Amino acid sequence: MTSSIPSMELPSSTSKLSRMYDVLINFTGEDIRRKFVSHLDSALSANGLTTFLYHDNAVKPMHIQEPILNLCRVAIVVFTESYSQSAWCLHQLQQIIEWHETYCRHVLPVYYEIQPLDVRLQKGDFGKAFKATAHQTFSAQELEHAMSRWSHAITKTANFFGWDDCNYRSDAELVDTIVKSVLNLPVLSATRFPVGLQSHVKDVIEIIKNKSMEVCWIGICGMGGSGKTTLAKAIYNQIHGTFTEKSFIEDTSEVIRTGGHAKLQEQLLSDLLKTEVKIHSVEMGISMIRERLFGKRVLIILDDMNENDPLDLWESSAWLGEGTVIIITTRDEDLLRRKQVYSIFQINVMNPNESLELLSWHAFREAKPKEEYHFLAKRVVAYCGGLPLALEVIGSYLYERTKEEWNRVLLRLDNIPQHDVLQILKISFDGLSNQKEKDLFLDVCCFFVGEGRAYVTKILNGCGVDPDNGIRVLIERSLIKVKKNNKFGIHPLLLDMGREVTREISKKEPRNNRLWLDEDTKYAVSENTLFSSQGTKVIRRMPTRSYFFDPYPLAR
């Protein structure tokens, strides 16, 4: 019998594969799709993860090809009794393993109403169906080699850490366990494309291991956009499971700016003690930190610390428990040296090969540029100076662009002074397709950092704006992020860029200005103007729409 490549179908939610998917679910069977897989898909989506799975009623069939996997970051393989009856699944599994071996992506098996040993060794009914499927799919000449490839893919997958449904009381418990494990994978929660990241993680964790009998202070420093936060997240994701008390505070400078030192103290104590803490003065906070953390082994990461420690942790070696790890990320290496942080990890800019790979992942969804774009990509890389943030934002902007559009970007880059990162980032903002998308980005910068996506959507819908498409575009352009808790986040340099744009608009149009908010700002609305909690007209005049803010919102 002649060989045939099984076909797959597009997910029902999209007509083309132009977006990134966090998790691909590989499975077969209508029953499993309607039951377990639908519950797993729903739970992953509810936690802010995008999933890819074929749908039996999709319109456009297509061959399986590597770029589909390049759009995904984790594969969950659901083994069932009928799995080996599907040549489509077996062929995709073979590609998943090739993808894993090439790009070190995660593959997670689930055994649903089947024994893991039967899968690993292709025994029992699973093994019989596996042989029958191969004989039906391949010619006699191809059979042995094809079965060997399929068998290798199954065995390799079955040797990864996974879940056996018989070890759980219900599907709900199994799904909950899988989702929590997926959310904690470094590849998902640190960065979309971890080019060159793992070697840095390994180096820092080696320092932590060598200082396991003391309070370990580590400083991560480097210029803005060099990947300090990403490295800190990857380290946190890898070691946080060994700590009972832990806290990762992202962009501490912004927390302090909007809420003061007491707000930072509240966030730290609330994270470590797993309960809401209210601090009424900085002195009270310092006292509580010492009292409640005395003798405890804790993990604390303070990201983007640009001033002396408001938490009074510098002398903590005398009162925190051994094995404590405190990591500071900062652009100010002198700050670390003044406080005698001896383990300082300096992040250098990416080398040209790493830079080209990172740009390619964002611009082409592949590790290398398309041949006809190779020279253009190398020129763009040269302008980005090895900064991951610039490569990510410009690469995301150039995704699916023509050569003419690439050349227009290069002309713009040629007129930007060297090291002016904000102007490089502004290319993506200026390239947004309409004013609504630009307004939405500026509104996120000024009002909505740290706010829940559903809450912001409700506010904007209330004033006649449909933000869903705009939010999707801003995420795809890497201009904003939606974190695991479904709240908006934005890189400090992009925040600076947005504020600079706002200042420029305010100079040209004094009646249409935005001011970013401090901790005491509450919102009311009257005559198309936002008011502070004291009723002063300070926030933003809005000739086309108004925001309705609840001064006492429900939990977001």
Side-chain angles (χ1 to χ4, degrees):
M1 187 175 183
T2 57
S3 66
S4 61
I5 296 179
S7 64
M8 74 172 288
E9 296 183 346
L10 290 168
S12 57
S13 59
T14 182
S15 60
K16 65 173 185 174
L17 289 168
S18 60
R19 60 185 296 190
M20 287 302 303
Y21 293 86
D22 294 311
V23 183
L24 177 145
I25 305 178
N26 169 255
F27 69 99
T28 189
E30 180 63 20
D31 286 346
I32 194 75
R33 186 186 71 80
R34 286 189 291 104
K35 296 177 182 177
F36 174 74
V37 169
S38 67
H39 296 316
L40 178 60
D41 182 36
S42 177
L44 290 167
S45 299
N47 281 275
L49 299 175
T50 55
T51 57
F52 180 93
L53 60 159
Y54 80 92
H55 192 287
D56 296 299
N57 297 321
V59 176
K60 297 181 180 179
M62 62 183 294
H63 293 304
I64 302 169
Q65 49 189 317
E66 188 179 354
I68 297 172
L69 286 172
N70 288 347
L71 293 169
C72 304
R73 297 191 280 164
V74 173
I76 296 177
V77 181
V78 183
F79 287 117
T80 57
E81 286 286 355
S82 62
Y83 186 94
S84 58
Q85 297 173 18
S86 169
W88 182 93
C89 265
L90 292 167
H91 185 74
Q92 189 184 43
L93 183 63
Q94 178 187 324
Q95 291 193 317
I96 287 171
I97 292 303
E98 292 171 358
W99 164 80
H100 159 78
E101 292 172 345
T102 303
Y103 302 116
C104 300
R105 298 295 171 84
H106 289 277
V107 180
L108 307 172
V110 179
Y111 306 95
Y112 195 84
E113 297 180 350
I114 190 170
Q115 291 296 317
L117 192 62
D118 286 354
V119 175
R120 186 175 294 112
L121 302 179
Q122 290 101 67
K123 290 174 52 181
D125 291 340
F126 184 92
K128 292 176 184 176
F130 170 75
K131 292 173 184 175
T133 303
H135 280 85
Q136 292 168 9
T137 305
F138 298 103
S139 67
Q141 292 84 1
E142 297 173 312
L143 183 61
E144 183 178 355
H145 183 57
M147 281 187 67
S148 175
R149 293 199 307 268
W150 280 2
S151 179
H152 167 75
I154 294 172
T155 302
K156 179 101 176 182
T157 304
N159 283 329
F160 293 131
F161 168 81
W163 301 273
D164 182 352
D165 78 315
C166 71
N167 294 328
Y168 298 87
R169 291 171 296 181
S170 64
D171 282 4
E173 184 182 27
L174 173 59
V175 165
D176 183 61
T177 303
I178 293 171
V179 171
K180 286 178 179 176
S181 297
V182 170
L183 286 170
N184 285 324
L185 291 174
V187 71
L188 280 180
S189 38
T191 185
R192 182 183 293 180
F193 301 115
V195 177
L197 179 63
Q198 195 54 42
S199 62
H200 294 330
V201 174
K202 184 178 178 182
D203 290 341
V204 176
I205 288 180
E206 193 62 34
I207 296 172
I208 293 171
K209 288 179 179 177
N210 292 335
K211 294 180 176 290
S212 61
M213 302 305 291
E214 57 187 276
V215 174
C216 175
W217 277 85
I218 294 176
I220 299 175
C221 61
M223 61 190 300
S226 60
K228 301 183 295 296
T229 302
T230 300
L231 176 57
K233 283 181 180 178
I235 295 164
Y236 179 86
N237 292 339
Q238 195 149 328
I239 68 174
H240 77 89
T242 64
F243 291 83
T244 303
E245 288 89 13
K246 53 217 172 188
S247 175
F248 186 117
I249 302 181
E250 194 168 345
D251 199 1
T252 56
S253 297
E254 185 68 10
V255 174
I256 293 170
R257 190 192 68 78
T258 57
H261 291 164
K263 182 66 175 179
L264 186 66
Q265 294 171 333
E266 284 181 355
Q267 189 169 338
L268 178 73
L269 284 169
S270 296
D271 288 347
L272 294 173
L273 303 177
K274 301 179 181 66
T275 186
E276 187 174 355
V277 175
K278 289 294 181 185
I279 302 295
H280 302 296
S281 70
V282 173
E283 293 73 21
M284 172 188 173
I286 290 173
S287 176
M288 281 189 68
I289 288 171
R290 288 207 173 205
E291 178 185 329
R292 302 299 294 272
L293 303 185
F294 185 85
K296 290 188 176 182
R297 176 179 177 269
V298 299
L299 169 62
I300 298 172
I301 297 183
L302 302 173
D303 172 54
D304 195 30
M305 177 70 78
N306 292 321
E307 58 178 85
N308 288 332
D309 179 21
L311 302 172
D312 197 33
L313 292 174
W314 297 113
E315 306 299 326
S316 61
S317 298
W319 51 271
L320 281 172
E322 68 177 32
T324 286
V325 175
I326 302 175
I327 297 175
I328 305 289
T329 78
T330 180
R331 304 180 204 179
D332 184 1
E333 186 174 350
D334 289 340
L335 172 66
L336 300 173
R337 298 198 182 280
R338 288 196 305 271
K339 296 301 180 180
Q340 298 183 338
V341 176
Y342 296 112
S343 298
I344 298 178
F345 189 88
Q346 177 76 45
I347 293 188
N348 298 316
V349 296
M350 289 180 137
N351 64 45
N353 290 335
E354 290 176 335
S355 297
L356 186 61
E357 181 180 350
L358 184 59
L359 180 82
S360 297
W361 277 117
H362 287 284
F364 304 106
R365 304 299 192 251
E366 299 181 46
K368 296 179 180 179
K370 294 177 180 178
E371 187 61 36
E372 62 270 29
Y373 284 84
H374 194 272
F375 178 68
L376 293 172
K378 290 186 74 171
R379 287 186 62 198
V380 170
V381 162
Y383 284 108
C384 290
L387 284 180
L389 178 65
L391 293 161
E392 176 183 351
V393 172
I394 292 297
S396 298
Y397 173 69
L398 289 170
Y399 177 61
E400 291 192 328
R401 301 279 177 180
T402 65
K403 287 184 180 180
E404 290 75 18
E405 290 171 306
W406 277 70
N407 278 309
R408 282 200 290 272
V409 168
L410 282 164
L411 277 174
R412 177 95 180 260
L413 287 167
D414 195 42
N415 291 317
I416 293 174
Q418 192 175 13
H419 306 308
D420 192 339
V421 182
L422 297 190
Q423 287 301 312
I424 294 175
L425 300 178
K426 191 170 179 289
I427 290 174
S428 183
F429 170 80
D430 290 339
L432 291 169
S433 61
N434 58 62
Q435 190 59 42
K436 288 182 179 179
E437 291 173 358
K438 293 178 179 179
D439 283 343
L440 181 59
F441 173 74
L442 297 177
D443 289 344
V444 171
C445 287
C446 295
F447 305 121
F448 299 134
V449 174
E451 297 292 350
R453 181 172 183 168
Y455 176 73
V456 174
T457 300
K458 182 178 179 181
I459 290 171
L460 296 175
N461 283 335
C463 51
V465 177
D466 180 9
D468 289 335
N469 187 62
I471 290 171
R472 179 184 59 78
V473 170
L474 295 180
I475 292 171
E476 288 176 354
R477 291 282 184 87
S478 297
L479 290 172
I480 65 172
K481 297 185 185 297
V482 177
K483 301 179 182 179
K484 284 193 299 185
N485 56 10
N486 230 19
K487 293 185 177 182
F488 286 115
I490 186 168
H491 191 281
L493 285 181
L494 288 166
L495 199 58
D496 289 344
M497 183 267 286
R499 288 171 175 168
E500 186 60 37
V501 171
T502 299
R503 291 187 190 99
E504 292 173 3
I505 293 173
S506 297
K507 291 176 183 176
K508 295 175 183 177
E509 305 174 46
R511 291 184 57 82
N512 187 22
N513 66 308
R514 295 172 177 84
L515 297 177
W516 31 98
L517 312 178
D518 61 27
E519 65 173 332
D520 295 320
T521 308
K522 301 296 181 185
Y523 312 92
V525 64
S526 174
E527 298 177 346
N528 293 327
T529 304
L530 290 178
F531 284 71
S532 74
S533 55
Q534 289 76 30
T536 310
K537 296 182 184 180
V538 297
I539 301 173
R540 180 186 175 196
R541 292 185 182 276
M542 312 182 76
T544 57
R545 67 179 187 265
S546 304
Y547 292 159
F548 294 83
F549 292 85
D550 179 1
Y552 306 101
L554 298 174
R556 301 171 191 174

